[in-house]
Amino acid sequence: QVRLVQSGAEVKKPGASVTVSCKGSEYTFTSYDINWVRQATGQRLEWMGWMNPNSGDTVYAQKFQGRVTMTRDTSISMAYMELRSLKSEDTAVYYCVRASRSEIRRRWFDPWGQGTLVTVSS
Amino acid sequence: QSVLTQPPSVSAAPGQKVTISCSGSSSNIGNNYVSWYQHLPGTAPKLLIYENNKRPSGIPDRFSASKSGTSATLDITGLQTGDEADYYCGTCLSAGWVFGGGTKLTVL
């Protein structure tokens, strides 16, 4: 069964950085893009960007450019999302999710990781 | 504020049918495929519909969807209390991806 398992909850101070990890299993990790999506309390799902685990190429949402970096370690089927200069508004549940292998305009997201709560508080 | 517009909430009684709309433009829905996601509180979102109207295995046929022009709709028939959740449409943009604002379904 294809699965994405994320790292545990984090508490950070404003201005700090956080790295969330996401381990893929039961599929060829390098064959599917990994996306990161977040949801602040009471807010909508917000797409942050995607990464091609084979090439390392990334596309980031404009809102997060300059503050987010998505990387991977293919030897252990792990994807990482680092968000820097944290603000209280970054308090959210962060999800990794696998994209389908179809052309981008046909793309869909499945499965999703279980989510990682990142709390930013002084 | 998302470029994909969904009603904030819909409601219906058990057994009834509800329709959730997702309105976009030619730069998103109009030229790309739409997928739908169900998000139950405290759980990860789940894929309900992909490529406008296809159901993944395991998704009951009570859930159906369609797309016309720059809008898409999700229909849920035979409503059950377990269907209470937030529902999101999503589609590709030239520079990535976007989700709708989400619709909270209440089963009365």
Side-chain angles (χ1 to χ4, degrees):
Chain A
Q1 177 187 358
V2 175
R3 209 169 164 213
L4 296 175
V5 177
Q6 300 180 221
S7 49
E10 303 264 11
V11 179
K12 297 292 182 179
K13 293 193 181 303
S17 299
V18 68
T19 298
V20 179
S21 67
C22 169
K23 183 172 177 61
S25 61
E26 301 303 321
Y27 75 98
T28 302
F29 180 73
T30 50
S31 294
Y32 298 80
D33 286 1
I34 290 288
N35 295 258
W36 291 89
V37 175
R38 77 177 187 180
Q39 185 181 40
T41 303
Q43 302 298 310
R44 65 179 180 91
L45 297 176
E46 183 174 34
W47 179 78
M48 300 178 69
W50 62 45
M51 177 193 64
N52 180 318
N54 186 48
S55 64
D57 289 344
T58 54
V59 174
Y60 300 139
Q62 188 173 12
K63 175 177 179 176
F64 299 102
Q65 283 180 4
R67 212 159 63 92
V68 70
T69 302
M70 297 176 189
T71 57
R72 87 290 190 211
D73 183 339
T74 58
S75 68
I76 55 172
S77 300
M78 196 81 82
Y80 303 93
M81 187 282 298
E82 179 194 28
L83 189 61
R84 300 177 293 278
S85 302
L86 289 168
K87 314 165 213 176
S88 58
E89 308 91 90
D90 294 317
T91 295
V93 177
Y94 290 76
Y95 297 97
C96 63
V97 54
R98 193 184 77 165
S100 57
R101 286 190 70 178
S102 49
E103 59 175 312
I104 288 176
R105 62 185 293 265
R106 302 178 80 101
R107 181 164 283 199
W108 67 90
F109 295 166
D110 182 64
W112 295 64
Q114 83 276 21
T116 297
L117 175 62
V118 175
T119 303
V120 183
S121 174
S122 54
Chain B
Q1 192 146 349
S2 176
V3 297
L4 300 184
T5 302
Q6 298 182 234
S9 63
V10 295
S11 61
Q16 297 295 303
K17 172 186 172 181
V18 70
T19 296
I20 298 173
S21 60
C22 175
S23 177
S25 69
S26 59
S27 63
N28 43 69
I29 290 178
N31 284 289
N32 298 294
Y33 288 74
V34 177
S35 50
W36 289 89
Y37 303 85
Q38 179 190 59
H39 194 190
L40 295 158
T43 69
K46 180 171 77 171
L47 175 68
L48 276 183
I49 298 286
Y50 66 99
E51 291 186 349
N52 297 336
N53 55 17
K54 298 177 182 176
R55 279 188 311 277
S57 61
I59 300 299
D61 59 7
R62 300 188 298 108
F63 295 89
S64 63
S66 62
K67 178 192 133 175
S68 178
T70 59
S71 293
T73 58
L74 172 70
D75 290 321
I76 310 173
T77 59
L79 275 173
Q80 302 174 1
T81 55
D83 296 333
E84 279 207 343
D86 295 323
Y87 292 83
Y88 292 88
C89 57
T91 193
C92 191
L93 298 174
S94 60
W97 182 270
V98 67
F99 290 101
T103 299
K104 181 175 183 59
L105 168 62
T106 301
V107 181
L108 302 169

